[in-house]
Amino acid sequence: MYSIKRFKFRNNTEVNDVCLMFDESKPVMYALLYFSDRLISKAPTTQYASFQAIKLFYQYWQSKFGESFCKSFYQADHNPELAVIEFGDFYTGLCSRNPNHFNKYDQMSPQTADIRAKAVIQFLEYLVDKYVSGYYLEETSQSINEQQKYLFKRLNDNRNSIKNGNKLISARPSQYIFKSLTRDMVAAIYRIILPSNLNKKNDLNPFKRKDIQLRNFLIIRLLLNYGLRVGELLLLEKQSLKTNISGSTYNLIISNLSDSSEDIRRIRPRIKNQFSVRIIELEKIDYEFLMIYLGEIRPKQSNHQILFSSQNTPYSPLTYESIRAIFSAVDRAFSVNNPEFKDSNYIDSIASLTPHVARHTWATMTLSYLYESIGRNHEAAQKITHSNMNTGRIMDEAKEQLRTVGGWALKSTIPDRYAKRFLSEQANRSNVQRIQHDLSCSIELENLES
């Protein structure tokens, strides 16, 4: 299936040999990108050796998963972790020349197997470097750097293990399955961040000053209730809050700063893409909370229009680091007061509370509500038209609305990933209902027979 072909490549007056990897008659996409970005300047012998190794990895993947690595990688939203955690099993099969994954022509000495494995590591490092980046991930730069650091370290550990003849890190899935909060978790977080008042002090709140408590409560509430990205939150200005003419709706405008020159932050937040510019309708209570913050809490001495600022002189706009610090403090209180929510022995536990987890949570709960709401509308229309209800169409409509309110491109597949918990629960709930139905039918048959 996979092959490596040599070509003559003319560059001005020079003619060079190049090697490319093919799947039947088509170039292999990610191998071609690797060639274009990293191998094109290498000698043909180096190109050929690299593609020999990558070809083995693709054969292994095809044999084990029944589909090409290109397809798996694309459907996983270009997440290199799925390849990194699989590397140990690939190398084990390579060394043992497992006939389930490699044919007799792929048999090689242990030394050659090590060379091939290290070449595959270089290919995977390229995928990490290219796809764990701000261009492909809607996460903070620190989060992206941490992911890169983790994956590069794991690959380097594998390289050192090969060099030292040690057993490789075994491939295993993450101990935390989901990245969104359950409703009980959300309720627990609100108990922690609820601001103290004159009648009752909230001892769970990790922030001692009442003005900071209210500001941080609003920040977390906006992220949980409206799914804002951290960058979008940091771009909010005082004039981002607007009502309609009649005063019946309350809106939050998501856009870049009206005057970006006043942003003195080292890392300036920016709107993710053209679809991120949008108007979000606020619940009345949230609008009132924000107006209280503007009128009574936000420092009057601040010389900028950005909504959320430090409560201490010089009253600078909050930064990515500020938001991470707020979530880290709440996460520590969350761990102390609700350790069961962090226990990886439970399927619905989470690793930590982060702004990205808040967006996951919003997407999951919003998709669930949209699905049920659209489903009720379809059911009502079905009674009138006597047509069949198409659940696939309902889900597509729900995801389309989620893309709009969440600021994703119209064809973005990211809502599928963000709503992983809901989609999984829907499928499993249907399966359990089927089992219960089959069981009840069996009991009825048994009763009839007796």
Side-chain angles (χ1 to χ4, degrees):
M1 179 183 291
Y2 297 105
S3 62
I4 304 167
K5 299 180 181 179
R6 291 180 181 269
F7 295 90
K8 295 289 184 181
F9 174 74
R10 181 178 294 276
N11 182 14
N12 295 328
T13 59
E14 296 181 359
V15 178
N16 299 316
D17 287 336
V18 297
C19 296
L20 293 175
M21 182 172 155
F22 284 78
D23 180 0
E24 295 180 348
S25 61
K26 298 173 292 185
V28 177
M29 178 177 176
Y30 298 107
L32 179 62
L33 291 174
Y34 184 48
F35 166 81
S36 175
D37 292 342
R38 297 288 173 85
L39 297 180
I40 192 169
S41 60
K42 304 291 184 182
T45 52
T46 302
Q47 296 172 3
Y48 189 82
S50 297
F51 283 133
Q52 277 187 310
I54 296 170
K55 173 186 167 186
L56 290 169
F57 183 72
Y58 268 75
Q59 287 176 347
Y60 163 82
W61 198 276
Q62 183 76 40
S63 176
K64 182 169 182 178
F65 298 104
E67 63 183 21
S68 72
F69 172 70
C70 285
K71 181 178 180 180
S72 297
F73 188 53
Y74 179 79
Q75 290 183 336
D77 292 326
H78 300 98
N79 182 2
E81 187 173 2
L82 86 164
V84 173
I85 65 174
E86 195 63 35
F87 179 83
D89 285 353
F90 161 73
Y91 180 68
T92 300
L94 193 65
C95 292
S96 63
R97 293 175 288 281
N98 188 334
N100 292 328
H101 302 314
F102 307 103
N103 59 46
K104 63 180 181 179
Y105 302 108
D106 297 322
Q107 294 185 7
M108 62 197 74
S109 68
Q111 293 79 9
T112 302
D114 288 352
I115 293 172
R116 297 285 184 265
K118 290 176 183 177
V120 171
I121 287 176
Q122 290 179 328
F123 173 60
L124 298 184
E125 285 175 333
Y126 161 75
L127 295 180
V128 173
D129 187 50
K130 183 176 180 68
Y131 293 103
V132 183
S133 66
Y135 186 83
Y136 289 94
L137 297 177
E138 297 180 338
E139 301 181 23
T140 65
S141 55
Q142 181 180 5
S143 174
I144 291 171
N145 289 337
E146 288 175 352
Q147 290 182 56
Q148 274 197 349
K149 185 177 179 181
Y150 163 74
L151 294 174
F152 280 138
K153 182 181 183 302
R154 184 154 186 168
L155 288 170
N156 193 52
D157 288 343
N158 281 330
R159 181 186 285 108
N160 291 334
S161 295
I162 294 171
K163 179 180 178 181
N164 299 324
N166 298 329
K167 185 178 180 181
L168 287 174
I169 301 170
S170 61
R172 60 183 177 85
S174 171
Q175 59 181 331
Y176 296 101
I177 306 300
F178 297 109
K179 293 183 180 180
S180 57
L181 305 167
T182 64
R183 295 187 183 277
D184 288 341
M185 291 177 184
V186 172
I189 288 169
Y190 274 121
R191 286 194 293 270
I192 291 170
I193 64 174
L194 186 69
S196 301
N197 57 44
L198 294 176
N199 298 322
K200 186 176 181 181
K201 179 183 178 183
N202 184 5
D203 293 325
L204 298 178
N205 200 311
F207 310 103
K208 302 309 175 188
R209 287 172 48 180
K210 292 182 181 178
D211 57 341
I212 294 178
Q213 285 184 354
L214 179 59
R215 182 200 66 188
N216 294 350
F217 170 81
L218 285 174
I219 287 171
I220 295 175
R221 185 173 174 87
L222 284 176
L223 295 179
L224 281 172
N225 274 6
Y226 302 99
L228 300 186
R229 301 176 177 96
V230 174
E232 294 170 350
L233 178 88
L234 297 176
L235 286 168
L236 294 177
E237 300 175 89
K238 292 193 292 185
Q239 56 265 37
S240 298
L241 291 164
K242 293 187 182 296
T243 66
N244 62 354
I245 294 175
S246 65
S248 59
T249 64
Y250 313 91
N251 305 285
L252 193 64
I253 300 172
I254 310 297
S255 66
N256 283 316
L257 295 178
S258 55
D259 182 8
S260 60
S261 63
E262 73 171 4
D263 193 351
I264 61 173
R265 290 173 285 197
R266 181 175 59 86
I267 301 177
R268 294 185 176 188
R270 295 288 297 173
I271 285 295
K272 183 71 178 177
N273 55 50
Q274 61 177 325
F275 301 98
S276 302
V277 178
R278 60 198 189 279
I279 297 175
I280 296 175
E281 184 173 339
L282 295 173
E283 177 65 31
K284 182 180 180 181
I285 188 66
D286 290 325
Y287 178 81
E288 291 174 346
F289 280 149
L290 287 166
M291 296 308 294
I292 291 172
Y293 165 75
L294 274 176
E296 303 178 17
I297 305 299
R298 187 180 183 277
K300 300 291 190 298
Q301 304 93 321
S302 61
N303 59 359
H304 57 82
Q305 297 298 308
I306 295 169
L307 182 61
F308 291 112
S309 71
S310 170
Q311 294 297 115
N312 301 317
T313 184
Y315 313 112
S316 304
L318 291 189
T319 63
Y320 285 105
E321 290 78 9
S322 306
I323 304 302
R324 283 195 293 271
I326 292 170
F327 271 79
S328 293
V330 176
D331 184 52
R332 288 192 292 271
F334 187 61
S335 300
V336 170
N337 292 283
N338 301 95
E340 67 278 12
F341 294 149
K342 295 291 196 72
D343 189 340
S344 61
N345 290 316
Y346 298 112
I347 188 86
D348 50 357
S349 61
I350 63 166
S352 61
L353 175 64
T354 66
H356 205 55
V357 166
R359 185 162 164 85
H360 267 282
T361 302
W362 166 83
T364 302
M365 292 185 175
T366 303
L367 184 66
S368 176
Y369 179 83
L370 288 171
Y371 181 84
E372 293 173 2
S373 176
I374 294 170
R376 287 194 295 270
N377 292 338
H378 275 253
E379 187 175 1
Q382 180 189 14
K383 291 179 180 178
I384 298 173
T385 61
H386 305 289
S387 59
N388 294 324
M389 189 163 59
N390 188 325
T391 56
R393 181 182 172 188
I394 293 171
M395 179 57 74
D396 288 341
E397 287 184 27
K399 283 193 263 188
E400 183 179 346
Q401 291 189 29
L402 185 69
R403 288 185 187 95
T404 300
V405 72
W408 286 294
L410 297 178
K411 295 183 179 180
S412 172
T413 60
I414 292 177
D416 295 326
R417 183 177 66 194
Y418 275 73
K420 182 179 179 182
R421 167 169 278 163
F422 170 70
L423 295 171
S424 174
E425 289 177 349
Q426 278 290 112
N428 282 304
R429 189 179 301 117
S430 297
N431 189 49
V432 170
Q433 290 172 351
R434 177 196 62 79
I435 294 171
Q436 292 172 342
H437 177 266
D438 291 348
L439 183 61
S440 64
C441 290
S442 299
I443 293 173
E444 290 178 4
L445 286 174
E446 289 176 0
N447 291 339
L448 285 173
E449 290 175 352
S450 60

